[in-house]
């Protein structure tokens, strides 16, 4: 028997995604009709992603300091290492606040300011790395 259009490749047996086949798509609901949050592994995966990214930024900041010291302590090298350290601290603060926010029952999306700060820190660390190598 062929699957109806839109259900090709489904393995859960239902057409609504919650597996009960009633078409409601409701899954678990609280008393007020709002979906109940399934804690699952998603918050843990997100927390681990933030930790990996923080570790990457840490490595970049440490390598910048190493490059500044290894190549002879010039004013430009020390300034680049210091700026890398400041950007790393800013990213560490954003990441820490976000991982704390993931402990909430219903964590909201990443605020726009935090997203802009994270993007800015990433771009600045990349620019400092290029400047340190030049």
């Amino acid at each position: 028997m062929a699957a109806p259009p839109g259900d090709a490749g489904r393995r859960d047996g239902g057409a609504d995604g919650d597996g009960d086949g009633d078409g409601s798509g409701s899954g678990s609901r609280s008393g007020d009709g709002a979906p109940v949050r399934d804690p699952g592994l998603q918050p843990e995966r997100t927390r681990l992603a933030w930790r990996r990214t923080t570790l990457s930024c840490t490595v970049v900041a440490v390598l910048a300091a190493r490059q500044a010291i290894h190549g002879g302590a010039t004013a430009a090298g020390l300034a680049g290492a210091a700026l890398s350290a400041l950007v790393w601290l800013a990213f560490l603060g954003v990441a820490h606040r976000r991982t704390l926010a993931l402990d909430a029952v219903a964590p909201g999306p990443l605020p726009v300011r935090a997203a802009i700060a994270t993007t800015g820190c990433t771009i600045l660390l990349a620019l400092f790395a290029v400047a340190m190598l030049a």
Side-chain angles (χ1 to χ4, degrees):
M1 179 171 144
D7 283 349
R10 291 195 84 113
R11 294 184 186 173
D12 62 1
D16 57 355
D18 63 2
D20 62 5
D22 66 358
S24 67
S26 62
S28 298
R29 299 252 176 206
S30 65
D32 62 354
V36 176
R37 179 174 183 264
D38 176 20
L41 294 176
Q42 189 274 329
E44 183 65 19
R45 285 192 308 264
T46 304
R47 189 173 291 109
L48 289 172
W50 277 100
R51 286 184 182 169
R52 282 190 308 270
T53 307
T54 303
L55 179 61
S56 298
C57 289
T58 303
V59 169
V60 169
V62 168
L63 289 176
R66 180 180 176 264
Q67 181 69 22
I69 294 170
H70 180 70
T74 65
L78 292 176
L83 289 173
S84 294
L86 287 175
V87 170
W88 172 74
L89 286 172
F91 183 85
L92 191 64
V94 172
H96 182 70
R97 279 191 295 277
R98 184 59 186 162
T99 55
L100 289 178
L102 290 171
D103 290 336
V105 174
L110 182 67
V112 174
R113 275 183 71 182
I116 291 170
T118 302
T119 304
C121 288
T122 304
I123 291 170
L124 286 173
L125 278 174
L127 290 174
F128 293 151
V130 169
M132 294 293 292
L133 293 175

